[in-house]
Amino acid sequence: MYMKNKQPLPAVTLAAIGVVYGDIGTSPLYTLRECLTGQAGITMTQSSIFGFLSLIFWLLMLIVSIKYIGFVMRADNDGEGGILTLMSLAVRHINPRYFTITVFMGLVGGSFFYGDGVITPAISVLSAIEGLEIIEPSLDPFIIPLSIAVLTLLFVIQKKGTGSVGKLFAPVMVLWFLSLAVLGISGILKNPGVLQALNPYWALNFFLAYKGVSFFALGMVVLAVTGAEALYADMGHFGKKPIRIAWFLLVAPSLVLNYFGQGALLMTHPDAIKNPFFLLAPDWALVPLLLIATLATVIASQAVISGVFSLTRQAMRLGYLPPMRIVYTSDVESGQIYIPVVNWLLYVAVLIVIISFKHSSDLASAYGIVVTGTMALTTVLLSIVAIKNWGWKPRWGLLLMVLMLLIDIPLFAANLTKLFSGGWLPVVLGLSILLIMMTWHTERSRLLRRLREDPDALGALINSLEKSPPLRVPGTAVFMSRAPDAVPLVLLHNLKHNKVLHDRVILLTISSADAPYVHKLKRVTIEHLSPSFWRVVASYGWRETPNLEEVFYRCGQDGLRCTMSDISFFLSRDTLALDKRPWYLRMRGKLFQMLQRNALRAPDLYQIPPNRVIELGAVVKF
């Protein structure tokens, strides 16, 4: 069951600053520069500078402060957040006709996060290391090698866990945000008139002045709010209150001050556009600022990588990704995990991106589509939750959706124009993950349906074995079953080849609940099927790890006493064979076969002692 964080509120708030706000907190490194250089037809004038500053300020207020802080974070599942959590909440009370499309929207949003997970480390670290060019132009050739070195070190230390390194996150990020604020204030004091851009008139004037060009410029403005999804995704670690306090007390003021400080600098020194963030600092502060910026971008990258790990585990437990090895790097925090396969695939993708794009400005054109797409999907799912779960009247839920989509859709449409200039990359990555998710879930469901085609087969088999039992041997046999009412193929193969049956037989199914945690009192259900057969179903939430020691401890409390050392586990090593099907379904089936072959096997997944496992082969047609 979800437990609230017991640390004092100030400590949790500091921790939230260190983890939650890394991505959005490093956006000032490149956002205003890309706004004023990324769109042809926009010249650097007071009107354009004020227009972009006003758009950035009001997007931060409307999207982060009102949408995510005010509304989205209310949609929690036992304290947990994230797009897949929102999806699971939305489908609980929805009309079955809309179930599939609702799940599809959640999966698209989740898969897009993987694309974001590749772009964020690359653009963040590159934009920080590019400060070398300001310090000494001759160091330009070292930017890419140093960026690769920093990211390589980051991915290598993932297996050590973020616990010890994470203690540095909060003070570094607090120092970073204070630096943003101080630099911003120094710029504003030299040109206080820049504060006029707080007036939304300048955002409206920007659209009137630049007309069609202003629409395409929105694709760059959205860089200021990348990372907003992290507020919601990391809610389970820190709770709503610390995240909200950190935003309004430190993060939002620091970001706004820095953006406006950069704007003030550009009004008097337009040539500073090559890197207004670093040129806002005095010469003596450039080296320390470069170091702090590098650390901040590493932390931002770490937060995204950890988010990808968490999303992967959630998708695995919900049945949308195959089982993979998960390493728990903390004895006290279940959220600190390391997934080797995902880590190294992500690392290779990040390297390819850095080597291919070479500069953060080029990467900026790849950013935005998946972020704004996820924002729009979040809006639709949130409106469903408001109507179906919170009891809002449909007209108020639809009004909420329309108002939010009036912001999300233009941002998404503006970013679509970047599709062929780099935006295709995260989209292709996201769609690849989506294909894998849908293939695994669909084909696995098809396989389970095949295994339980005859719901009475299990009962008939047990009755037959009780009436005409084979040779009985002492002990307890546990037959792992994918579905509670299916006949375990490994049981049939044991009877066929070994022609014996243990005195006590337990049919065990591990099921995933649509919740992050399952109360321990509801963990195990036991059904006595016959004098020698029991059915045991153990339920775990998607933030929990199945533990067979706990399962059989609970069984013992309910009268089914057995210990791991006395049990023989019978597992089926399936060979999947495809039935006749159209070519496109056959391709999907072959992808599923490949995923199945490389998935983590049950003995490793459930940490069953190897000397207690007996595996028997089975061919399953599906």
Side-chain angles (χ1 to χ4, degrees):
M1 193 173 182
Y2 175 68
M3 298 295 292
K4 298 289 184 185
N5 200 313
K6 297 299 183 181
Q7 290 181 291
L9 182 61
V12 182
T13 303
L14 281 174
I17 293 171
V19 174
V20 174
Y21 292 107
D23 191 357
I24 198 170
T26 52
S27 295
L29 282 164
Y30 47 81
T31 297
L32 193 58
R33 179 191 70 199
E34 297 306 320
C35 285
L36 289 163
T37 60
Q39 183 60 52
I42 295 181
T43 56
M44 197 183 311
T45 62
Q46 175 180 301
S47 177
S48 63
I49 293 172
F50 278 17
F52 276 119
L53 289 177
S54 187
L55 283 169
I56 288 171
F57 173 76
W58 286 105
L59 276 187
L60 287 171
M61 294 303 103
L62 293 172
I63 291 180
V64 182
S65 298
I66 296 178
K67 177 180 176 177
Y68 277 93
I69 297 283
F71 286 98
V72 178
M73 286 180 63
R74 290 183 58 197
D76 69 289
N77 189 351
D78 202 8
E80 295 294 326
I83 187 77
L84 291 186
T85 293
L86 194 60
M87 176 195 77
S88 65
L89 289 172
V91 299
R92 283 186 180 177
H93 307 291
I94 200 169
N95 188 310
R97 289 184 297 172
Y98 305 114
F99 180 87
T100 302
I101 186 63
T102 306
V103 169
F104 181 74
M105 287 191 291
L107 293 182
V108 171
S111 62
F112 274 0
F113 188 77
Y114 286 89
D116 187 24
V118 172
I119 300 294
T120 296
I123 192 173
S124 299
V125 173
L126 258 179
S127 60
I129 303 294
E130 282 168 356
L132 283 173
E133 193 178 11
I134 303 300
I135 298 171
E136 178 54 61
S138 62
L139 295 175
D140 181 68
F142 297 97
I143 290 175
I144 291 179
L146 276 175
S147 299
I148 291 174
V150 169
L151 286 165
T152 299
L153 179 62
L154 176 63
F155 280 96
V156 166
I157 65 172
Q158 292 301 311
K159 62 183 178 183
K160 302 293 183 183
T162 59
S164 55
V165 182
K167 295 175 183 177
L168 300 173
F169 285 7
V172 169
M173 290 308 296
V174 168
L175 179 61
W176 169 252
F177 284 115
L178 291 176
S179 301
L180 292 182
V182 170
L183 290 173
I185 291 170
S186 68
I188 292 170
L189 289 177
K190 294 174 184 176
N191 196 340
V194 75
L195 294 176
Q196 295 176 62
L198 291 170
N199 189 336
Y201 159 80
W202 289 103
L204 180 62
N205 180 70
F206 178 80
F207 290 113
L208 295 175
Y210 289 100
K211 299 180 174 62
V213 176
S214 64
F215 169 75
F216 300 109
L218 285 175
M220 294 302 173
V221 179
V222 78
L223 293 172
V225 293
T226 56
E229 183 69 19
L231 309 180
Y232 183 43
D234 289 324
M235 188 169 63
H237 291 288
F238 305 102
K240 302 173 187 177
K241 192 172 182 180
I243 291 175
R244 287 170 172 160
I245 290 173
W247 172 253
F248 289 111
L249 198 63
L250 177 64
V251 179
S254 299
L255 291 175
V256 172
L257 286 170
N258 194 265
Y259 283 123
F260 277 69
Q262 290 184 45
L265 172 68
L266 293 173
M267 287 173 64
T268 53
H269 297 90
D271 58 322
I273 190 59
K274 61 182 179 180
N275 203 321
F277 175 81
F278 281 102
L279 291 173
L280 190 59
D283 292 341
W284 62 265
L286 283 176
V287 173
L289 185 60
L290 175 66
L291 294 174
I292 297 171
T294 303
L295 286 173
T297 54
V298 166
I299 291 170
S301 304
Q302 174 63 62
V304 172
I305 295 168
S306 298
V308 170
F309 290 162
S310 297
L311 180 68
T312 302
R313 178 177 65 174
Q314 187 175 350
M316 285 165 48
R317 299 292 295 132
L318 291 174
Y320 292 104
L321 282 177
M324 295 175 242
R325 187 166 74 93
I326 298 177
V327 178
Y328 290 83
T329 59
S330 172
D331 294 330
V332 295
E333 176 51 62
S334 64
Q336 292 184 13
I337 59 175
Y338 167 65
I339 304 178
V341 172
V342 174
N343 184 69
W344 295 114
L345 287 176
L346 205 58
Y347 171 67
V348 171
V350 169
L351 283 192
I352 292 172
V353 165
I354 286 182
I355 294 170
S356 302
F357 285 82
K358 296 184 174 64
H359 196 275
S360 61
S361 291
D362 297 325
L363 266 171
S365 61
Y367 222 175
I369 295 180
V370 295
V371 173
T372 52
T374 302
M375 287 179 180
L377 291 169
T378 297
T379 293
V380 177
L381 293 173
L382 178 68
S383 65
I384 295 173
V385 171
I387 296 170
K388 297 295 183 179
N389 298 49
W390 299 345
W392 285 24
K393 292 182 178 179
R395 63 174 178 269
W396 296 118
L398 291 174
L399 178 63
L400 176 72
M401 181 175 71
V402 169
L403 290 175
M404 290 184 176
L405 287 180
L406 284 174
I407 300 172
D408 295 335
I409 295 299
L411 291 176
F412 178 66
N415 277 279
L416 278 179
T417 62
K418 301 189 290 184
L419 185 64
F420 297 106
S421 60
W424 59 269
L425 176 65
V427 172
V428 168
L429 288 170
L431 292 178
S432 300
I433 299 297
L434 178 64
L435 175 64
I436 291 173
M437 284 183 168
M438 293 184 67
T439 296
W440 180 261
H441 183 73
T442 303
E443 294 296 320
R444 184 170 174 269
S445 299
R446 181 189 181 102
L447 180 62
L448 290 177
R449 285 196 302 270
R450 174 59 59 91
L451 291 176
R452 54 174 181 244
E453 280 181 347
D454 183 359
D456 299 322
L458 180 61
L461 175 66
I462 292 174
N463 289 334
S464 173
L465 291 173
E466 293 290 4
K467 289 179 181 177
S468 305
L471 178 65
R472 292 278 188 170
V473 295
T476 299
V478 171
F479 292 90
M480 301 288 289
S481 176
R482 288 189 178 91
D485 54 352
V487 177
L489 292 179
V490 67
L491 171 60
L492 299 178
H493 280 265
N494 179 59
L495 292 169
K496 179 180 178 181
H497 296 289
N498 296 327
K499 298 180 175 57
V500 296
L501 200 63
H502 285 68
D503 287 334
R504 185 167 57 174
V505 177
I506 298 174
L507 308 179
L508 174 63
T509 300
I510 306 293
S511 69
S512 296
D514 182 21
Y517 302 94
V518 173
H519 196 287
K520 291 183 178 180
L521 294 179
K522 300 179 180 178
R523 174 79 71 214
V524 174
T525 58
I526 301 173
E527 187 177 354
H528 197 177
L529 302 175
S530 74
S532 60
F533 277 81
W534 280 259
R535 177 191 287 141
V536 174
V537 179
S539 299
Y540 283 87
W542 43 258
R543 281 209 68 182
E544 299 178 297
T545 304
N547 185 328
L548 292 190
E549 288 276 6
E550 180 196 18
V551 170
F552 290 111
Y553 173 77
R554 295 284 166 190
C555 288
Q557 289 186 319
D558 291 337
L560 182 59
R561 289 183 170 79
C562 47
T563 60
M564 292 284 285
S565 58
D566 298 329
I567 297 173
S568 295
F569 290 87
F570 286 81
L571 305 177
S572 178
R573 190 159 191 149
D574 298 334
T575 300
L576 302 179
L578 295 176
D579 282 338
K580 290 187 68 176
R581 50 169 80 179
W583 68 268
Y584 56 93
L585 293 180
R586 191 166 187 83
M587 294 297 292
R588 190 177 71 181
K590 286 186 176 296
L591 175 58
F592 179 73
Q593 286 177 313
M594 184 189 73
L595 294 172
Q596 177 81 1
R597 284 195 300 269
N598 291 280
L600 195 67
R601 292 167 47 244
D604 301 314
L605 183 62
Y606 302 124
Q607 298 182 353
I608 304 172
N611 61 346
R612 310 304 309 171
V613 175
I614 301 167
E615 286 189 309
L616 296 173
V619 177
V620 182
K621 288 190 175 184
F622 72 108

